[in-house]
Amino acid sequence: MAARLYSSSSSSSAASAVVVGVKPAAYGFVASVIMTMVAGERMAEEDVLRFKAITEAGLAAAGAANRQDFLPFLRLLDFGRARRRLAGIAKERHDFGQRIVDEYRRRHRRRLAVAADDSSSSPPRRTVIGDLLRQQESSPESYADEVIRTVCLSLLQAGTDTSASTIEWAMALLLNNPDVLRKATDEIDSVVGMSRLLQEPDLANLPYLRCIITETLRLYPLAPHLVPHEASRDCMVAGHVIARGTMVLVDVYSMQRDPRVWEDPDKFIPERFKGFKVDRSGWMMPFGMGRRKCPGEGLALRTVGMALGVMIQCFQWERLGKKKVDMSEGSGLTMPMAVPLMAMCLPRVEMESVLKSL
Ligand code: HEM
């Protein structure tokens, strides 16, 4: 990501500021991180674009209101062609997922052939597909290709848009709060320095950056009502009777801005999480809670931390004009910015030698 941003901002002679779409830059980085975990390879640029288009079409279709949800007899006619549209998206997902699995198999066979000729070659890194294919050998029915590609697509789909949008919201907040951006830059400069790129182990020593991410997730939880759950038995919640079978949405957005819990709830104050200890933790649940809590939380915090940390360490960021960034929320199943963030990005002079070496 840093190399790509640098190459787009450096002409043959000198670096200059360029206007950057923050979410597309973040999306490519996040997709590659998750793809490396899933298949051991980064995602090619054209695949990033294709996957993004499939995901966006899926989210739009899943979030759309359909008359046949309320008038079931319309399903017989495929009113509004919703079923046909969903089937088309499902086929594209299927083909994309199967290609990832098939390509992994091809590479793996080639690696085995090389290893047979060269006993000094190092063993392959563990990946999600590699582990699942090994299980497939002993239990082919439970680990059919369909299961493997569904796991891969779920990880990619649940992890990319959410993490990339969080990076975009965080950068928008930083652009509207230059003092916070300056403090974050100072922290990274003093902990990491300017002679090398920030690495994942550095994140543990960057508490202010972590506060920025937590405060971003408080103000802009990507799933503002989590995902729909269903009560498995009759129960009471806060004095309300919830009958078995009721769909339950948790209004995390309001909880995380509740003035009875948070001082200046609508203000971006990362310092509120300094040494944060927990009697309010029940009021923060951007990743959900309990058994169906997001399993990607740890990965998401690292990926968002790395992306944001490197962006701050290597580049100077500014708004396009004097006006503050528009922080309105758009519509959708995950909460996007209504106006996608564009920002001015200039390589920091102190980081040029590191950036040139990438
Ligand atoms: C900032 C980034 C992310 C946010 C805000 C987020 C948030 C959430 C939320 C709110 C849920 C629903 C929890 C519930 O049912 O109550 C969820 C589920 C899930 N997330 Fe994430 N997530 C993020 C990143 C990731 C990543 C990086 C991955 C994996 C690569 C991931 C994988 C999943 C999966 C597989 C589920 C479904 C779990 C289940 O149904 O049991 N997420 N996430």
Side-chain angles (χ1 to χ4, degrees), residues 134-338:
R134 259 192 301 287
Q135 300 287 345
Q136 192 180 59
E137 285 165 19
S138 55
S139 178
E141 276 107 52
S142 309
Y143 293 90
D145 270 18
E146 187 183 359
V147 173
I148 299 180
R149 70 170 181 262
T150 304
V151 170
C152 298
L153 287 168
S154 302
L155 293 175
L156 281 163
Q157 208 145 21
T160 37
D161 198 66
T162 43
S163 304
S165 289
T166 301
I167 295 163
E168 187 187 34
W169 281 115
M171 187 50 87
L173 287 163
L174 291 174
L175 289 172
N176 280 349
N177 294 275
D179 289 351
V180 177
L181 179 54
R182 207 164 308 122
K183 270 196 200 174
T185 313
D186 290 347
E187 180 183 68
I188 293 171
D189 287 350
S190 77
V191 172
V192 185
M194 294 165 194
S195 58
R196 67 174 177 86
L197 205 58
L198 183 149
Q199 304 286 331
E200 193 201 317
D202 294 316
L203 293 177
N205 303 317
L206 297 168
Y208 193 62
L209 180 65
R210 179 63 187 266
C211 290
I212 289 171
I213 295 167
T214 312
E215 178 71 337
T216 303
L217 287 165
R218 183 185 71 80
L219 286 169
Y220 299 100
L222 259 288
H225 296 109
L226 300 183
V227 295
H229 289 270
E230 191 177 295
S232 54
R233 57 186 160 83
D234 296 345
C235 55
M236 293 273 283
V237 176
H240 300 280
V241 178
I242 312 280
R244 195 181 128 196
T246 307
M247 185 197 284
V248 181
L249 295 168
V250 181
D251 188 1
V252 166
Y253 184 93
S254 303
M255 287 163 64
Q256 296 185 172
R257 289 178 183 237
D258 187 334
R260 290 168 302 174
V261 179
W262 307 96
E263 220 170 282
D264 290 326
D266 295 328
K267 279 203 181 140
F268 177 60
I269 310 175
E271 286 76 4
R272 71 170 88 238
F273 288 106
K274 245 181 174 174
F276 181 65
K277 303 211 188 41
V278 216
D279 59 330
R280 290 179 304 188
S281 66
W283 294 92
M284 267 296 282
M285 52 170 93
F287 295 98
M289 192 170 256
R291 266 197 301 183
R292 301 303 294 268
K293 183 180 180 176
C294 174
E297 176 177 358
L299 177 66
L301 292 176
R302 284 183 188 82
T303 314
V304 172
M306 278 298 295
L308 212 54
V310 167
M311 282 170 155
I312 296 170
Q313 183 193 26
C314 296
F315 301 94
Q316 223 172 294
W317 294 90
E318 271 168 37
R319 299 195 293 254
L320 292 193
K322 287 208 171 84
K323 250 174 82 183
K324 286 211 162 190
V325 173
D326 181 349
M327 300 300 286
S328 319
E329 297 127 18
S331 57
L333 280 187
T334 52
M335 194 173 68
M337 293 188 73

